[in-house]
Amino acid sequence: MNQLTDASDTRESIMRATYCALCEHGYADLTMQDIAAEFEKSKLLIHYHYETKEDLFVAFLDYLLENLREHVETIENDDPAERLRELFDLFLSGPSDDEKRDFHVALLELRAQAPYSDDYRKQLRRNDRYLHDLVADIVRDGVEASQFDSTDSDETVTVLLATGDGVRIRRATLGVNDADGAIDDLFARYLGWEETA
């Protein structure tokens, strides 16, 4: 049991060090030494768990998915429309400071490597599938509760998530923060949902 706890603590520390190094250096210029500099233990321990930078970042993408799942579990609202709004607020929460902005830029760089790495692409697809299924479940719940118009949920979810990705890319690359109106328009157009304020 103690060894499992130690392994979990080590993994968490490596993932946190990876996050900090990404924010500081971006993905393209990041080295294992940069990550080791943020890690309180030895660089050898990082290499013991992850042989290559690619192995480490596949694990990091999985770690981000785990964190998303944990955050989603904190959404306690039973109302499908409100759950969808809270999820998109979480998904689209824009960088509020330089560190978050730097992280989003580094993550965009990492995603840009997917065409050249089967392992990155597989993990990103896994992350995307989780998010797609989660939003699709909420949309179906909203249709059943007569909050949303009867709709092709797969197409709707694809459009909503593609728009969400576009908003995040615009924030990371252009520094614009114009999501709220676009997302509200999409909710109205694809779900027939008019938010009552």
Side-chain angles (χ1 to χ4, degrees):
M1 179 86 108
N2 200 8
Q3 288 179 333
L4 288 175
T5 302
D6 288 347
S8 176
D9 290 347
T10 298
R11 178 180 181 269
E12 179 69 25
S13 295
I14 292 171
M15 295 299 112
R16 291 298 307 161
T18 302
Y19 172 84
C20 292
L22 264 175
C23 290
E24 184 172 345
H25 301 282
Y27 176 81
D29 296 325
L30 189 66
T31 66
M32 293 294 266
Q33 184 57 48
D34 294 327
I35 295 168
E38 301 288 344
F39 185 55
E40 66 273 6
K41 300 176 185 173
S42 76
K43 181 180 175 183
L44 290 175
L45 191 54
I46 296 175
H47 282 290
Y48 173 78
H49 289 281
Y50 309 101
E51 288 184 24
T52 66
K53 181 179 171 182
E54 183 170 296
D55 292 339
L56 174 57
F57 278 98
V58 168
F60 184 70
L61 289 168
D62 187 57
Y63 173 77
L64 294 178
L65 178 59
E66 289 173 16
N67 278 332
L68 175 62
R69 284 182 171 145
E70 287 174 11
H71 280 94
V72 165
E73 287 172 9
T74 67
I75 298 175
E76 297 178 352
N77 204 319
D78 289 333
D79 179 271
E82 292 307 315
R83 248 184 16 246
L84 188 64
R85 167 56 68 198
E86 287 183 46
L87 178 63
F88 268 79
D89 287 347
L90 173 66
F91 179 61
L92 296 175
S93 59
S96 58
D97 55 38
D98 288 342
E99 178 185 302
K100 285 183 181 178
R101 184 192 173 281
D102 292 344
F103 175 70
H104 283 280
V105 170
L107 197 55
L108 185 59
E109 289 180 281
L110 176 57
R111 289 175 64 99
Q113 300 306 306
Y116 314 105
S117 168
D118 287 341
D119 291 335
Y120 285 178
R121 189 165 46 252
K122 285 176 190 171
Q123 185 59 51
L124 286 167
R125 282 182 179 162
R126 183 174 168 224
N127 293 20
D128 184 70
R129 174 51 49 197
Y130 169 76
L131 194 56
H132 186 281
D133 290 348
L134 178 65
V135 174
D137 286 345
I138 296 172
V139 168
R140 279 191 291 274
D141 289 347
V143 170
E144 287 175 14
S146 300
Q147 286 185 306
F148 305 152
D149 290 341
S150 183
T151 183
D152 178 344
S153 64
D154 192 59
E155 177 186 327
T156 299
V157 172
T158 298
V159 170
L160 290 174
L161 291 178
T163 302
D165 283 340
V167 166
R168 288 168 44 174
I169 290 168
R170 286 174 56 82
R171 283 180 177 167
T173 59
L174 304 177
V176 296
N177 198 1
D178 56 359
D180 290 340
I183 295 301
D184 289 342
D185 288 348
L186 279 175
F187 284 168
R189 180 175 301 171
Y190 281 88
L191 301 172
W193 170 30
E194 296 291 346
E195 190 171 20
T196 56

